[in-house]
Amino acid sequence: MSDNSVFSERGSKDVVETGLEFMPKFDADGLIPAIATDAVTGEVLMFAFMNREALAETINTRRAVYWSRSRSEIWRKGETSGNFQNVTEIRTDCDQDVIWIKVEMEGHDAACHVGYRSCFHRAIPDDGKAVPGLVLKRTEDAPSFDPDDVYGKKS
Amino acid sequence: MSDNSVFSERGSKDVVETGLEFMPKFDADGLIPAIATDAVTGEVLMFAFMNREALAETINTRRAVYWSRSRSEIWRKGETSGNFQNVTEIRTDCDQDVIWIKVEMEGHDAACHVGYRSCFHRAIPDDGKAVPGLVLKRTEDAPSFDPDDVYGKKS
């Protein structure tokens, strides 16, 4: 897939920020950050990256596809776990260098590889201060699935 | 501010992913991505970066502070525009390398420097396909403020 076959080339700052032509910016590694939120609750589920191919496939199939930086491969979310993300809306920001997708989850109704619904399942307490040893609180009582069952037991 | 004076050092993968000690990861540039959502509507308002100092100040003051990559300086959101972001919740993800803050906005009730409520004020149409020239649709009727009035007219 050549660089210019799928998306418009970048325009001027004004065109990018206030125009209506989609011209996403990919960084030096060819990636764009992507935020996935729950279409119903608004909760942030996960943060990952897409390359051109992943973004194009997400747009065309309305299923979330990312780029796995750890595995260096296209990551069709749910292919292993069954936890597909059906995309209800795709937005971009003023600089067109971030993607926000709203999704409805299939499978375990969970996005996190550790088994929780959201990757953001821990919060800083309201009175927490920035000191070493700061203890987080859980925002979910328990994982939605056992990663060992879904991904295989860690050796 | 030395690197280890404010936050715990990183632990093992298991400790980071399932433990309760806050040990945020900063990238090679000393930055961590931060997602800000509206505390009431759940809408994603903006995406930016924090350095150690910005994250510590956000936690300690419960007001959003970022690191401006374009200006290479601490960015106390609202200092120029009056559009402060009061933080109601701070979360981190499984890898502890992303921050999600929920905020209540002051001032113009807007987060975007172009004047819109959310930086994500444009969406790909539901039937939009990944082709050059793809036209976005606006998700906000009009800006909430005039950037020229707030930041000064562009020369």
Side-chain angles (χ1 to χ4, degrees):
Chain A
M1 182 181 297
S2 83
D3 281 3
N4 302 318
S5 63
V6 192
F7 301 112
S8 296
E9 289 188 52
R10 293 283 283 184
S12 69
K13 184 174 158 71
D14 268 0
V15 167
V16 165
E17 290 188 345
T18 60
L20 285 178
E21 187 171 347
F22 187 49
M23 31 184 69
K25 180 180 181 182
F26 297 87
D27 67 16
D29 296 321
L31 303 178
I32 189 168
I35 302 160
T37 63
D38 187 294
V40 177
T41 67
E43 183 181 33
V44 178
L45 296 173
M46 56 182 283
F47 172 86
F49 290 87
M50 296 179 178
N51 64 357
R52 279 184 173 76
E53 183 184 351
L55 177 56
E57 192 171 321
T58 299
I59 292 169
N60 292 336
T61 67
R62 306 293 284 192
R63 267 208 167 160
V65 179
Y66 304 98
W67 175 258
S68 168
R69 292 185 300 170
S70 56
R71 298 190 303 273
S72 291
E73 63 180 24
I74 281 282
W75 169 22
R76 293 183 177 85
K77 179 72 181 168
E79 216 167 35
T80 304
S81 63
N83 297 334
F84 295 103
Q85 297 178 340
N86 296 314
V87 176
T88 64
E89 190 171 349
I90 305 170
R91 293 200 197 179
T92 191
D93 71 335
C94 38
D95 305 318
Q96 299 205 33
D97 60 0
V98 183
I99 299 294
W100 166 24
I101 57 174
K102 297 183 188 178
V103 305
E104 293 173 343
M105 295 190 286
E106 286 190 19
H108 300 94
D109 195 35
C112 183
H113 75 287
V114 182
Y116 289 90
R117 191 162 197 289
S118 164
C119 290
F120 297 82
H121 56 270
R122 291 167 300 184
I124 292 173
D126 292 352
D127 59 355
K129 295 299 174 195
V131 291
L134 173 56
V135 176
L136 303 167
K137 61 176 184 178
R138 295 199 192 285
T139 58
E140 298 183 30
D141 291 336
S144 296
F145 67 90
D146 183 344
D148 287 349
D149 292 344
V150 170
Y151 302 109
K153 209 164 180 68
K154 277 180 274 188
S155 57
Chain B
M1 182 182 295
S2 84
D3 280 4
N4 302 317
S5 63
V6 192
F7 300 113
S8 296
E9 289 189 51
R10 293 282 284 183
S12 69
K13 184 176 161 70
D14 268 359
V15 165
V16 165
E17 289 187 346
T18 60
L20 285 178
E21 188 171 347
F22 186 49
M23 32 183 69
K25 181 179 178 181
F26 297 87
D27 68 15
D29 296 322
L31 303 177
I32 189 168
I35 302 159
T37 63
D38 186 292
V40 176
T41 67
E43 184 182 30
V44 178
L45 297 173
M46 56 181 283
F47 171 86
F49 291 87
M50 296 179 179
N51 64 356
R52 279 184 175 76
E53 184 184 350
L55 177 56
E57 191 171 321
T58 299
I59 292 169
N60 291 337
T61 67
R62 307 294 283 193
R63 268 210 166 157
V65 179
Y66 304 99
W67 174 258
S68 167
R69 292 185 301 170
S70 58
R71 298 191 304 272
S72 291
E73 63 181 24
I74 281 281
W75 169 23
R76 293 185 179 84
K77 179 72 181 168
E79 217 168 34
T80 303
S81 63
N83 297 334
F84 295 101
Q85 298 178 340
N86 297 314
V87 176
T88 64
E89 190 171 348
I90 305 169
R91 293 199 197 181
T92 191
D93 71 334
C94 38
D95 305 318
Q96 299 203 34
D97 59 0
V98 184
I99 299 294
W100 166 23
I101 57 174
K102 298 183 187 176
V103 305
E104 292 173 344
M105 295 189 286
E106 285 188 20
H108 300 93
D109 196 35
C112 184
H113 75 286
V114 182
Y116 289 91
R117 190 163 198 287
S118 164
C119 291
F120 296 83
H121 56 269
R122 292 168 299 184
I124 292 174
D126 292 352
D127 59 354
K129 295 298 174 194
V131 291
L134 174 56
V135 176
L136 303 168
K137 61 175 185 181
R138 295 199 193 283
T139 58
E140 297 184 29
D141 291 335
S144 297
F145 67 91
D146 183 344
D148 286 349
D149 293 341
V150 171
Y151 303 109
K153 206 159 183 74
K154 275 180 275 187
S155 57

